[in-house]
Amino acid sequence: MSALVPPRTADLHPSLGASLSGTNLERAGDHNQRVMLQAIRVSGPITRAELATITGLTAPAIANITKRLLNDGLIMEVGRLHGARGQPAMRLAINPDGCYSIGVNIDRDHVTVLVLDLLGQVRHRATLDVDFPLPDTVAAFFKEQVEAFQAAGTFPQDRIVGIGVAMPDDLGRVNLPNRPASYEAWNTVNVARLFSAILPLPVFLENDAAAAALGELQFGHGLHDPSFFYILISRGLGGGMVIDGQYFRGAQGRSGEIGFLPVSSPRTPATSLQEAVSLSALFSFLKANGYPLCQPDELAGLDAAGQSLVAQWLDLAAELLTVPIIAVSCLVNPEAVFLGGRLPTTQLDRLAQLITDRLQAHAGTIPVIAPVYRAATAMDAPAVGAAILPFNDRLLPSRTALMKTAAA
């Protein structure tokens, strides 16, 4: 399975300095270790001297922290950098087998389970395509996948640090076409216990759009553009906002809820953006025109008439998304807007281009308009982002982790 390759240090955006800057303050050793690991992850292979330049930590601090990381098996030495003079410096890199995390994405049309290593490589992946999966169905599929990778023995199970779960907010409450009454079971289930009862590990829960944005931040375009807005097109429509490398949640943790924005267009009876721009809306439109589909991968096999219908829907989606993206550009001024989700990549690219064409018409009246691109972590973005949650808790730098360290 493919790895998400980190960029060279020279390619990183200056705003990443916030996540790669260490501190020599007392009792901040945990934060400094997280910073060091992150610097090696995004810039490695790298020498200790280069780490000092990036993090601002002293040489003794660098030596102590890298020794601990080597002893813990989180990094490894990968050879010496030969220069013109002096003893060649040893280079350090992430040990992909240093630890693993499980990511689960639950949505109204599928369940995805994957295992991510510390380098961002997917070591196990499986998707169950099913409409409105109930908690028992999700638990059974998760148990099946745990047993599968345990039996395969391709990586040590004792190095799994946790389980991340990404799912839409109000999963059992938001009314979407064909939702069964039994789906309300998600309103009362203890999601963390659902998974920890199968595999006794810490469980971290996150909104699916927020998880997708976190995945993009750590393993996608966010390494270059750490201030962005992520639009997740799934059975619903969600958004996530990242500012200077930190996910912004808002006062009640509901920032980025782009799907609930009101719309009014003679081209659609929808009253909210989600009712018109989502896989549910696309499939309803196709079904009404004689093309009943169930899963996104069926879109590629449509005949010419079916593709024409998809093109019509993409044009409508671009029209309805243009004003919200202008609003995001004016209010937040992100470096980019990324489109992700379960649409085929060719259609995500087409949607990005259609939006870009419409945005150009406003170029003379809007001071700055963020460019729109397909996300690097599009299809599996929520599951990848979910798998990052345990890494964030245990290993990677964040303002939350630094505050916990200072309070220790």
Side-chain angles (χ1 to χ4, degrees), residues 307-321:
Q307 295 292 352
S308 177
L309 290 170
V310 173
Q312 291 178 46
W313 180 83
L314 289 172
D315 186 73
L316 172 64
E319 177 184 307
L320 297 178
L321 284 169

Side-chain angles (χ1 to χ4, degrees), residues 282 285-286 289-291 293 296-315 343-344 346-348 350 354:
L282 172 58
F285 174 65
L286 290 173
N289 287 275
Y291 290 86
L293 302 185
D297 56 7
E298 296 176 293
L299 293 167
L302 288 173
D303 60 21
Q307 295 292 352
S308 177
L309 290 170
V310 173
Q312 291 178 46
W313 180 83
L314 289 172
D315 186 73
L343 276 175
T346 54
Q347 291 167 2
L348 282 173
R350 179 58 181 159
L354 288 169

Side-chain angles (χ1 to χ4, degrees), residues 244-322:
D244 288 340
Q246 300 291 328
Y247 188 81
F248 179 77
R249 297 186 176 279
Q252 279 77 43
R254 301 296 294 262
S255 69
E257 293 279 21
I258 191 172
F260 294 102
L261 290 176
V263 296
S264 178
S265 169
R267 298 179 63 183
T268 174
T271 58
S272 72
L273 193 55
Q274 180 171 253
E275 293 173 9
V277 184
S278 62
L279 288 179
S280 296
L282 172 58
F283 288 159
S284 293
F285 174 65
L286 290 173
K287 183 178 180 180
N289 287 275
Y291 290 86
L293 302 185
C294 296
Q295 296 298 329
D297 56 7
E298 296 176 293
L299 293 167
L302 288 173
D303 60 21
Q307 295 292 352
S308 177
L309 290 170
V310 173
Q312 291 178 46
W313 180 83
L314 289 172
D315 186 73
L316 172 64
E319 177 184 307
L320 297 178
L321 284 169
T322 296

Side-chain angles (χ1 to χ4, degrees), residues 35-357:
V35 164
M36 190 76 66
L37 192 66
Q38 176 78 332
I40 296 170
R41 190 181 70 82
V42 302
S43 306
I46 189 170
T47 66
R48 289 172 175 82
E50 291 169 333
L51 283 171
T53 300
I54 291 174
T55 65
L57 293 171
T58 64
I62 297 285
N64 289 334
I65 294 171
T66 54
K67 182 179 180 180
R68 286 200 300 270
L69 292 173
L70 285 165
N71 290 339
D72 290 341
L74 296 174
I75 64 173
M76 56 187 180
E77 295 178 332
V78 292
R80 296 187 179 277
L81 179 67
H82 294 276
R85 62 178 65 181
Q87 183 176 355
M90 182 65 71
R91 295 182 300 168
L92 303 169
I94 289 292
N95 177 10
D97 295 318
C99 64
Y100 309 88
S101 177
I102 300 173
V104 182
N105 177 213
I106 305 168
D107 207 342
R108 285 107 174 175
D109 63 348
H110 77 283
V111 183
T112 296
V113 176
L114 57 77
V115 178
L116 203 68
D117 68 23
L118 193 53
L119 200 58
Q121 299 173 127
V122 177
R123 307 292 283 266
H124 176 91
R125 179 191 182 277
T127 293
L128 175 66
D129 291 324
V130 56
D131 285 338
F132 299 101
L134 296 174
D136 288 348
T137 301
V138 172
F141 181 64
F142 179 73
K143 185 173 185 293
E144 176 185 306
Q145 295 312 308
V146 169
E147 292 172 348
F149 65 65
Q150 286 178 338
T154 53
F155 54 87
Q157 311 302 306
D158 60 352
R159 303 294 286 185
I160 301 175
V161 297
I163 305 165
V165 181
M167 55 195 294
D169 287 330
D170 305 322
L171 183 64
R173 295 186 177 88
V174 175
N175 191 23
L176 290 175
N178 304 315
R179 189 197 74 174
S182 59
Y183 205 59
E184 293 182 359
W186 285 108
N187 296 336
T188 56
V189 70
N190 186 317
V191 177
R193 191 175 301 161
L194 189 72
F195 294 96
S196 62
I198 297 168
L199 195 61
L201 290 170
V203 179
F204 303 85
L205 306 180
E206 186 57 273
N207 165 271
D208 59 342
L214 290 171
E216 193 70 22
L217 174 65
Q218 294 291 354
F219 291 112
H221 297 315
L223 291 169
H224 304 271
D225 301 312
S227 291
F228 62 88
F229 192 85
Y230 193 107
I231 297 177
L232 180 70
I233 303 172
S234 60
R235 279 299 175 115
L237 181 70
M241 187 183 304
V242 175
I243 299 175
D244 288 340
Q246 300 291 328
Y247 188 81
F248 179 77
R249 297 186 176 279
Q252 279 77 43
R254 301 296 294 262
S255 69
E257 293 279 21
I258 191 172
F260 294 102
L261 290 176
V263 296
S264 178
S265 169
R267 298 179 63 183
T268 174
T271 58
S272 72
L273 193 55
Q274 180 171 253
E275 293 173 9
V277 184
S278 62
L279 288 179
S280 296
L282 172 58
F283 288 159
S284 293
F285 174 65
L286 290 173
K287 183 178 180 180
N289 287 275
Y291 290 86
L293 302 185
C294 296
Q295 296 298 329
D297 56 7
E298 296 176 293
L299 293 167
L302 288 173
D303 60 21
Q307 295 292 352
S308 177
L309 290 170
V310 173
Q312 291 178 46
W313 180 83
L314 289 172
D315 186 73
L316 172 64
E319 177 184 307
L320 297 178
L321 284 169
T322 296
V323 171
I325 288 174
I326 289 174
V328 168
S329 292
C330 291
L331 295 173
V332 183
N333 187 212
E335 290 161 308
V337 173
F338 300 128
L339 303 179
R342 301 251 293 163
L343 276 175
T345 56
T346 54
Q347 291 167 2
L348 282 173
D349 286 334
R350 179 58 181 159
L351 180 57
Q353 185 59 55
L354 288 169
I355 294 171
T356 298
D357 292 343

